């Protein structure tokens, strides 16, 4: 397979482990092993202490799948497959798509959500999110107009990376109605689900709502455990899940044994971990909104409704490349420019879940003042 570079990941690879601060990381401040183990109950502590580093069950540890199923309504442990989140995108796209298929994907977006389809010989229509008067918006008529007889798959990502957009329940229902009418599968990337700022805004998973829906989620974002490399696919479509399980034999075969047990501990402690991460996000989002208000001629805040990222816009006469390069060179703070998302609107991403966010923002503010921007 020929596949283009993953621009965001190449950008991260260049700077992530050498800069002083990351202003754009999408994960929340990672828990340490000691912090996580302190949350274990008697059963999971015994599982951890007695853990043998053997191969694990290909579909995922039964206890882990039972805990994941507990996040959903009506999803059973048999309707889940455990693997690394990025790997699950690769598996699902390979199983779902054939050359010549048409795919519609929300845009901008996490590149693998449309790039793997493109590399597999599909044509991809980008369904654009656009800045509106009060935040990001999505045009449902555009979706209706874009569906062709070749359209096989609709790829959505709510809460959305990089904008923090979350549709209303009515918008999501309309999307499902259109998909059902045209027999489309929906791949729904729900990596940032459970990080809704208002609990009432949380949407059901596509796996709960749509018989041809397949949801991706995992522990990397909302649970602050990207190093575990634990994610899952959830779907009522058992045939599709079976084909993903068979493809998984050609990728990693099974998840890492320590990752699975630590994942069970995290899922059992979800109330504590989610509250910790939402508190971080709320504080950092408030600090960033204040920064934007102080520098309103420089940056436009487009408030997210959920998740740990946002995608503000820089004023037109300061190219985002110049802005991020200056902040990197002078303050050793990495900011992700919008062009790594192949977006041309002079935006940059901020990651709201890190403990040093406000320190990093302070450095950016000093750079702004010293530059006279
Ligand atoms: C929307 C989205 N989907 C999937 C992933 C992949 O998750 P992971 O890096 O844990 O494999 C990411 C990671 O940034 C993401 O933002």
């Amino acid at each position: 397979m020929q596949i283009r570079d993953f621009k965001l990941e190449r950008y991260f690879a260049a700077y992530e482990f050498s800069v002083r601060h990351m202003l754009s990381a999408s994960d929340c401040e990672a828990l340490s092993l000691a912090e996580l183990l302190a949350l274990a109950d008697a059963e999971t502590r015994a599982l951890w202490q007695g853990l043998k580093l053997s191969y694990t069950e290909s579909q995922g540890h039964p206890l882990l799948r039972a805990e994941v199923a507990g996040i959903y309504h009506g999803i059973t442990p048999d309707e889940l497959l455990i693997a690394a989140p990025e790997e699950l995108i690769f598996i699902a796209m390979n199983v779902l798509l054939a050359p010549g298929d048409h795919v519609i994907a929300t845009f901008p977006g996490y590149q693998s959500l449309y790039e793997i389809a493109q590399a597999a010989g599909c044509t991809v229509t980008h369904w654009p999110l656009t800045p509106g008067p009060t935040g990001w918006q999505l045009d449902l008529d555009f979706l209706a107009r874009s569906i062709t007889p070749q359209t096989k798959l609709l790829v959505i990502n709510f809460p959305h990376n990089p904008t923090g957009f979350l549709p209303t329940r009515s918008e999501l229902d309309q999307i499902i109605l259109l998909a059902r009418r045209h027999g489309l599968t929906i791949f729904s990337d729900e990596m940032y689900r459970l990080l809704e700022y208002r609990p009432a805004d949380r949407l059901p998973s596509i796996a709960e709502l749509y018989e041809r829906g397949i949801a991706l989620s995992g522990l990397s974002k909302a649970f602050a455990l990207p190093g575990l490399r634990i994610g899952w696919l959830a779907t009522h479509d058992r045939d599709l899940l079976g084909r993903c399980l068979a493809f998984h034999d050609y990728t990693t075969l099974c998840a890492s044994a320590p990752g699975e047990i630590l994942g069970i501990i995290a899922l059992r402690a979800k109330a504590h971990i989610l509250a910790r991460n939402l508190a971080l996000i709320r504080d950092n989002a408030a600090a960033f909104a204040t920064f934007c208000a102080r520098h309103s001629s420089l940056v436009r805040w487009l408030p997210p409704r959920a998740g740990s990222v946002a995608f503000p816009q820089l004023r037109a006469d300061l190219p985002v490349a110049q802005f991020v390069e200056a902040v990197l060179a002078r303050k050793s703070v990495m900011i992700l420019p919008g062009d790594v998302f192949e977006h041309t609107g002079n935006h940059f991403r901020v990651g709201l879940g890190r403990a040093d966010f406000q320190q990093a923002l302070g450095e950016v503010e000093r750079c702004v003042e010293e530059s006279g921007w």
Side-chain angles (χ1 to χ4, degrees), residues 118-289:
Q118 228 149 257
C122 303
T123 52
V124 179
T125 298
H126 291 161
W127 182 17
L129 282 120
T130 51
T134 57
W136 291 89
Q137 54 194 23
L138 205 47
D139 179 2
L140 289 169
D141 292 335
F142 180 97
L143 174 62
R145 283 197 307 276
S146 302
I147 298 171
T148 73
Q150 281 69 46
T151 309
K152 179 86 176 287
L153 178 69
L154 172 60
V155 181
I156 56 179
N157 166 219
F158 310 134
H160 181 248
N161 173 16
T163 64
F165 171 80
L166 185 68
T168 61
R169 175 64 198 268
S170 147
E171 286 171 321
L172 183 62
D173 285 344
Q174 289 175 65
I175 292 169
I176 293 171
L177 208 66
L178 269 172
R180 189 174 281 129
R181 191 177 304 149
H182 294 275
L184 311 184
T185 297
I186 298 182
F187 181 91
S188 175
D189 181 323
E190 299 170 3
M191 288 297 292
Y192 298 88
R193 189 164 176 264
L194 309 181
L195 289 178
E196 296 75 14
Y197 307 158
R198 296 180 344 163
D201 289 343
R202 180 170 306 156
L203 297 168
S205 166
I206 207 74
E208 297 166 291
L209 293 178
Y210 184 41
E211 58 287 355
R212 302 178 77 155
I214 181 160
L216 167 73
S217 197
L219 300 179
S220 304
K221 312 297 177 184
F223 287 84
L225 294 165
L228 296 190
R229 311 309 298 126
I230 294 287
W232 53 86
L233 292 175
T235 181
H236 285 314
D237 185 338
R238 304 252 179 155
D239 171 61
L240 173 57
L241 196 76
R243 287 185 288 137
C244 290
L245 186 57
F247 196 97
H248 184 223
D249 292 343
Y250 288 103
T251 56
T252 56
L253 190 57
C254 63
S256 95
E260 288 200 315
I261 303 304
L262 295 170
I264 298 167
I265 297 172
L267 284 154
R268 288 189 179 176
K270 59 179 171 292
H272 171 83
I273 296 174
L274 294 174
R276 162 205 188 259
N277 294 338
L278 273 166
L280 268 171
I281 291 170
R282 273 204 196 92
D283 273 6
N284 290 338
F288 195 75

Side-chain angles (χ1 to χ4, degrees), residues 19-23 25 29 280 284 333 351 353-363:
V19 294
R20 264 196 296 148
H21 299 289
M22 302 273 292
L23 196 78
E29 185 69 28
L280 268 171
N284 290 338
V333 175
R354 290 287 180 96
D356 66 346
F357 179 87
Q358 291 175 47
Q359 225 180 322
L361 188 59
E363 295 292 338

